[in-house]
Amino acid sequence: MQSPELNQNYFELFGLNPVFDIDCVALHAQQQRLQAVYHPDRHVDADDQKRRLSVQMASWVNQAYETLRDPVKRSRYLLEINGVSLPDDSATTSDAAFLMEQIDLREAVDACRHGDNGLERSQDIEARLEQRADQLAQDFVEHFSAQRHEAAIDSCRKMQFVQRIQQQLAELQFELEET
Amino acid sequence: MALLQISEPGESNAPHQHRLAVGIDLGTTNSLVATLRSGEAVCLPDEQGCSLLPSVVHFDGRQALVGYEAQVLLSSDPLNTIASVKRLMGRGRDDVKRLGEVMPHEFVSAEDSAALRIRTAGGDYSAVEISSEILKELARRAEQSLGSDLAGVVITVPAYFDDAQRQATRDAARLAGVNLFRLLNEPTAAAVAYGLDRDADGLIAVYDFGGGTFDISILRLNKGVFEVLATGGDSSLGGDDMDHALGEWIIEQAGFTDIDALLARRILSAARSAKEQLSSAGSTTIRIEAPQPWQTEIKREQFEALIEPLVKKTLSACRRAVRDAGVAKQEVAEVVMVGGSTRVPLVQTMVGDYFGREPMNKLDPDQVVALGAAIQADILAGNKPDNEMLLLDVLPLSLGIETMGGLSEKIIDRNSAIPVAKAQEFTTFKDGQSAMSIHVVQGERELVSDCRSLARFELRGFPPMVAGAARIRVTYQVDADGLLSVSAQETTSGVTADIVVKPSYGLTDTEIESMLRASMEHAREDIELRMLKEQQVEARRVIEAIDAALAQDGSVLLDENELSQIQLKRDELQAAVGSGSTEELKNLIKAVEDVSETYVARRMNASVQQALTGKQIDEVDV
């Protein structure tokens, strides 16, 4: 029987091809269609067993959605379902030039706190980071499709670095806008 | 119908009669109950025609007094009269110490219970019990005015409520003997009240400025699905702060120096009434009669200058919520105003200016939450099978676990869509360690001491190993009401432990059971008979559901052997319905459920398949 089972992967659950470039609008629409079936509010009168099942299913859909929505999590997950495990969260890239660049960027972010035009300077950095993230995503797609797994893992980690700085920058921009 | 009922969105359930359901806004100052009448949500008034029920309860050993009757006793009998009990929900001794100045009560905690109780002439009462009195009163009002039993209720809670506060609210419902369909976040209820689910898709901001709290939520509406994208706010910012700001101005203007409790109360009440006047008038007179007679004129502009910093604070929280939601404020299509403080014109203008659009304020800001809860209750009761409205909520505060050094490691981030389950692995740090203590906390701060402690439990009895060899998998599961259960497993040995998180200050299940039993005895009900009747109803429901399901797709989803096993258990249950004892029926129902577990899962999957592809089940290849 062709019915979906719990051992489906997230892409299968959402009826998407297992690739990095996904249609985020379709992803969101599918999440809501799945929740319309699974969400506990649709099973208010059911017995305990059925309600438990519904909570589990709805949680599973939410977790799948959050994983696929985020580019870093999505790339890790793609590697994972292709049997490539990322050894450790804390492991870092060995690309020295990349690391130097990250340190520079971090310092540049911090520097926006002081002096004039902090917000404008932060917007320049934002554009740079966005460009960097796009490029790393492209690298990932190339390495992944060519099955260069080590290189794909490295791109994935770098994407995570960039994402963290983006989060820091967003936090800083919020503070700057407040003052 | 219970077992195996799969309701497709938009597809009607088996026909059934209209079931009574109400929405309850269990507020700090006032509570309300609302229901749907001829398709329109209305608040149910008491015999005097008043919708608001003051959230005040008085105990003197006889029957508890609730509402206005209790409110008049607040000044003459303060020790036995409890107001603002919502502030105590899910709270412990330390939290109460902070509130100690404003609450005149004597707090006691029994030895066998973590829950704090207030000592009154009528006995000691916990916040859950006091709230349940308010709920009972509202349920009684609803049943009297609607003339029938309630099928269920939706109770609203602030978006900011943590797990302990939600759990306490759920316990109060249980104790009041009402069937709780769902806890609903207040801002979501407000958006529903404005019927925004029927409007065009888009982003909605709900700005809820009450007496003591401020909440902002950003919601996305998409084809009848409300999705809370982010919530934020300030749990200690409200209209009371406006009164204080104006009060301080009065003290300064009048040159009062020796301010005792009585004068302070008079100043605050003069400030409050001036604030209310200035919502419609351009200026008003502030009068303090005694002990030091004084009066002055105040213009609306002067008042606005005093409160502007407070309104700015709320806008700062709005900016954060908009950012957390990952949207731009220009995208917000509607701004819904909730709470009495939104009557202040400056609030209306500043919020309107910030979002660049006129806020929605047609409904009474005090009633709007209860009205929305009523609409949701009606849908959950199954009265509107065609309604596709679905509310997808997020977790208001991150859930974490204490790690070495008193730090909180987040397991589920705030603003994650719920329900949600997440697992994380931990390990031992000492050689030979065979137990691990798990401390569950909630909050955004790094240090455990700055977060709220929800529960502690231990995983014991796994084999001693060298440090770092054990693999302890801790799983957090949050349900649709935002309530947490935690389980832990040492995966190399399979040793497990789990708990439903009973907040450190909550009531234990046993306590609730015994309270329930006591209240049932008081009602002089024949408990045994009632339970048997309930089981008989349940048995018939199960049989009806399984028959309907089998007729629909039993032959498609089950092989012959599976089908005959389910049939067998179903027939055994059928035979026992008229003659079996409560216990026998319970076991037979369980047997039917157990044998059909796989079937339930397959039906759910099949229905999802159908939702995804639009195919009918009988078209799917078998």
Side-chain angles (χ1 to χ4, degrees):
Chain A
M1 196 178 89
Q2 295 295 304
S3 141
E5 297 292 340
L6 280 168
N7 57 15
Q8 274 191 317
N9 73 41
Y10 296 161
F11 289 97
E12 286 162 354
L13 175 68
F14 277 80
L16 296 166
N17 286 327
V19 293
F20 182 82
D21 290 310
I22 55 171
D23 178 352
C24 286
V25 176
L27 179 76
H28 184 249
Q30 201 69 292
Q31 186 233 10
Q32 302 209 329
R33 284 168 78 179
L34 289 167
Q35 287 300 8
V37 178
Y38 283 140
H39 195 277
D41 277 1
R42 299 281 178 180
H43 308 281
V44 167
D45 272 347
D47 53 86
D48 284 354
Q49 178 196 10
K50 179 75 189 305
R51 282 180 60 77
R52 258 200 314 277
L53 190 64
S54 137
V55 172
Q56 280 168 15
M57 295 289 219
S59 304
W60 184 48
V61 171
N62 276 333
Q63 188 168 3
Y65 178 64
E66 305 243 324
T67 304
L68 296 186
R69 190 169 57 162
D70 180 278
V72 174
K73 288 184 189 154
R74 193 192 316 136
S75 62
R76 291 179 72 105
Y77 186 69
L78 264 176
L79 288 168
E80 211 180 294
I81 57 174
N82 280 278
V84 186
S85 61
L86 276 73
D88 191 351
D89 243 6
S90 57
T92 170
T93 174
S94 54
D95 185 337
F98 177 81
L99 287 173
M100 285 305 292
E101 187 198 348
Q102 294 306 298
I103 292 168
D104 281 351
L105 277 166
R106 228 166 255 244
E107 282 171 358
V109 170
D110 275 339
C112 295
R113 276 178 208 284
H114 315 289
D116 298 333
N117 310 326
L119 199 57
E120 283 78 13
R121 280 184 284 146
S122 80
Q123 279 153 357
D124 290 344
I125 304 173
E126 193 182 354
R128 245 175 91 194
L129 283 169
E130 213 160 292
Q131 211 179 8
R132 202 76 183 86
D134 286 348
Q135 188 199 329
L136 286 168
Q138 245 171 42
D139 292 353
F140 174 83
V141 171
E142 275 170 32
H143 294 317
F144 181 72
S145 58
Q147 302 206 335
R148 289 191 297 268
H149 291 147
E150 282 308 312
I153 291 175
D154 196 50
S155 306
C156 176
R157 289 215 173 99
K158 287 175 178 171
M159 280 160 71
Q160 194 162 359
F161 266 106
V162 172
Q163 193 181 56
R164 276 195 204 131
I165 301 187
Q166 283 176 317
Q167 282 159 357
Q168 275 178 7
L169 187 74
E171 188 65 34
L172 175 90
Q173 284 180 337
F174 182 75
E175 284 168 30
L176 290 173
E177 279 166 20
E178 284 296 289
T179 49
Chain B
M1 301 212 310
L3 185 79
L4 305 170
Q5 175 70 40
I6 305 275
S7 46
E8 293 294 335
E11 180 190 283
S12 95
N13 288 344
H16 70 287
Q17 77 271 39
H18 184 87
R19 305 203 304 158
L20 288 181
V22 296
I24 291 178
D25 176 0
L26 188 59
T28 307
T29 322
N30 293 299
S31 297
L32 297 100
V33 58
T35 193
L36 249 67
R37 262 201 189 132
S38 342
E40 198 180 337
V42 286
C43 283
L44 297 172
D46 61 13
E47 280 125 21
Q48 280 73 46
C50 197
S51 301
L52 293 179
L53 177 77
S55 305
V56 185
V57 184
H58 177 263
F59 295 100
D60 62 1
R62 286 167 293 178
Q63 198 178 4
L65 295 177
V66 183
Y68 289 103
E69 285 172 303
Q71 198 176 35
V72 295
L73 298 169
L74 259 180
S75 50
S76 61
D77 190 11
L79 293 179
N80 299 318
T81 315
I82 298 119
S84 302
V85 67
K86 191 171 180 177
R87 292 185 195 282
L88 299 178
M89 291 293 267
R91 296 298 187 208
R93 185 167 284 278
D94 293 343
D95 305 307
V96 170
K97 261 186 203 148
R98 269 185 283 134
L99 298 162
E101 305 154 47
V102 291
M103 298 206 122
H105 307 291
E106 181 187 349
F107 291 96
V108 290
S109 40
E111 260 176 42
D112 56 341
S113 161
L116 267 187
R117 288 189 161 78
I118 291 177
R119 176 144 292 171
T120 74
D124 299 342
Y125 291 95
S126 68
V128 168
E129 291 167 279
I130 297 163
S131 296
S132 85
E133 292 298 333
I134 300 171
L135 289 174
K136 275 187 220 165
E137 181 66 31
L138 292 169
R140 192 156 42 227
R141 181 191 287 187
E143 285 180 349
Q144 266 168 16
S145 108
L146 302 170
S148 163
D149 288 350
L150 290 178
V153 305
V154 166
I155 299 176
T156 59
V157 290
Y160 243 62
F161 254 25
D162 65 26
D163 189 78
Q165 293 165 302
R166 282 166 200 265
Q167 188 69 56
T169 309
R170 185 185 266 189
D171 288 346
R174 203 167 138 202
L175 197 55
V178 297
N179 177 29
L180 179 65
F181 283 150
R182 169 89 127 99
L183 295 177
L184 181 63
N185 283 333
E186 289 164 6
T188 317
V192 173
Y194 271 99
L196 293 176
D197 54 305
R198 296 190 296 272
D199 278 15
D201 293 351
L203 291 178
I204 302 159
V206 180
Y207 179 99
D208 182 350
F209 202 7
T213 59
F214 170 69
D215 284 331
I216 174 74
S217 308
I218 309 294
L219 279 60
R220 178 162 54 197
L221 176 65
N222 185 15
K223 297 187 182 64
V225 178
F226 273 110
E227 197 180 356
V228 179
L229 297 179
T231 70
D234 189 331
S235 51
S236 55
L237 178 66
D240 299 347
D241 295 296
M242 296 189 190
D243 303 344
H244 280 283
L246 184 52
E248 276 166 30
W249 180 84
I250 294 172
I251 290 169
E252 200 185 293
Q253 296 292 311
F256 291 140
T257 47
D258 196 14
I259 300 159
D260 58 7
L262 178 68
L263 181 58
R265 236 187 351 259
R266 295 228 158 117
I267 292 171
L268 274 183
S269 113
R272 180 183 302 253
S273 95
K275 172 184 77 176
E276 287 167 8
Q277 292 290 320
L278 290 171
S279 284
S280 50
S283 70
T284 189
T285 309
I286 298 175
R287 254 188 218 95
I288 311 281
E289 303 293 346
Q292 304 177 45
W294 176 83
Q295 78 171 54
T296 190
E297 281 288 304
I298 182 166
K299 287 199 175 66
R300 188 190 277 175
E301 293 76 40
Q302 290 172 285
F303 171 65
E304 292 184 338
L306 291 171
I307 60 162
E308 196 182 313
L310 298 171
V311 187
K312 277 194 170 149
K313 253 180 152 174
T314 68
L315 294 184
S316 165
C318 290
R319 272 192 288 278
R320 185 166 281 271
V322 165
R323 204 197 53 156
D324 282 354
V327 300
K329 69 173 183 180
Q330 293 79 7
E331 295 174 62
V332 173
E334 295 290 358
V335 182
V336 172
M337 300 298 259
V338 186
S341 302
T342 62
R343 291 198 176 94
V344 173
L346 183 72
V347 174
Q348 297 272 347
T349 15
M350 284 179 72
V351 173
D353 287 349
Y354 170 68
F355 284 105
R357 63 194 62 247
E358 191 89 350
M360 302 184 87
N361 53 12
K362 296 279 176 294
L363 296 173
D364 181 336
D366 289 323
Q367 292 192 358
V368 57
V369 166
L371 297 176
I375 296 172
Q376 169 76 347
D378 192 57
I379 292 170
L380 294 182
N383 292 331
K384 284 216 187 61
D386 294 337
N387 193 306
E388 295 196 6
M389 187 174 91
L390 184 63
L391 305 176
L392 303 180
D393 266 330
V394 296
L395 186 71
L397 299 161
S398 301
L399 289 164
I401 190 166
E402 176 168 356
T403 58
M404 293 292 293
L407 293 177
S408 163
E409 173 154 341
K410 304 235 168 83
I411 301 225
I412 305 181
D413 286 328
R414 69 183 289 247
N415 287 331
S416 296
I418 54 173
V420 64
K422 282 212 177 123
Q424 201 137 314
E425 273 201 354
F426 296 91
T427 189
T428 47
F429 79 103
K430 268 193 210 146
D431 284 343
Q433 193 175 337
S434 66
M436 186 182 235
S437 144
I438 288 156
H439 185 198
V440 184
V441 297
Q442 186 162 28
E444 307 315 307
R445 309 279 293 276
E446 292 279 309
L447 288 176
V448 162
S449 52
D450 293 330
C451 289
R452 177 155 186 71
S453 166
L454 289 179
R456 288 173 193 273
F457 71 110
E458 280 191 353
L459 177 65
R460 303 191 146 272
F462 52 83
M465 287 173 246
V466 291
R471 290 272 166 274
I472 289 133
R473 194 175 168 79
V474 178
T475 308
Y476 280 30
Q477 166 82 61
V478 179
D479 70 12
D481 287 335
L483 293 168
L484 171 70
S485 48
V486 181
S487 62
Q489 181 180 34
E490 201 289 302
T491 51
T492 61
S493 64
V495 174
T496 62
D498 55 30
I499 53 161
V500 171
V501 169
K502 269 298 185 182
S504 313
Y505 310 121
L507 299 165
T508 64
D509 268 348
T510 339
E511 285 176 282
I512 295 207
E513 289 298 335
S514 70
M515 286 176 196
L516 275 177
R517 223 173 299 123
S519 67
M520 279 166 116
E521 278 160 15
H522 281 303
R524 273 180 271 129
E525 288 234 11
D526 186 344
I527 300 172
E528 282 298 314
L529 189 64
R530 180 173 159 159
M531 278 166 39
L532 176 62
K533 284 214 166 121
E534 281 173 4
Q535 282 304 319
Q536 287 172 340
V537 171
E538 178 66 13
R540 290 199 189 95
R541 222 161 57 139
V542 167
I543 291 167
E544 200 182 314
I546 199 140
D547 287 350
L550 288 175
Q552 198 185 334
D553 55 25
S555 56
V556 184
L557 296 176
L558 296 167
D559 65 29
E560 263 175 48
N561 182 30
E562 291 167 330
L563 185 65
S564 70
Q565 277 186 357
I566 294 177
Q567 280 289 0
L568 180 73
K569 293 293 171 199
R570 177 234 173 259
D571 294 346
E572 281 176 20
L573 178 61
Q574 173 81 56
V577 168
S579 56
S581 71
T582 308
E583 197 57 26
E584 282 162 2
L585 286 179
K586 212 174 182 174
N587 291 336
L588 286 168
I589 292 172
K590 174 105 176 30
V592 173
E593 285 176 353
D594 287 349
V595 76
S596 50
E597 192 161 0
T598 329
Y599 182 35
V600 174
R602 278 186 206 155
R603 294 198 86 219
M604 205 152 198
N605 283 329
S607 80
V608 170
Q609 181 79 326
Q610 198 182 344
L612 291 178
T613 62
K615 270 191 194 174
Q616 294 301 311
I617 287 176
D618 56 5
E619 291 169 18
V620 175
D621 298 332
V622 179

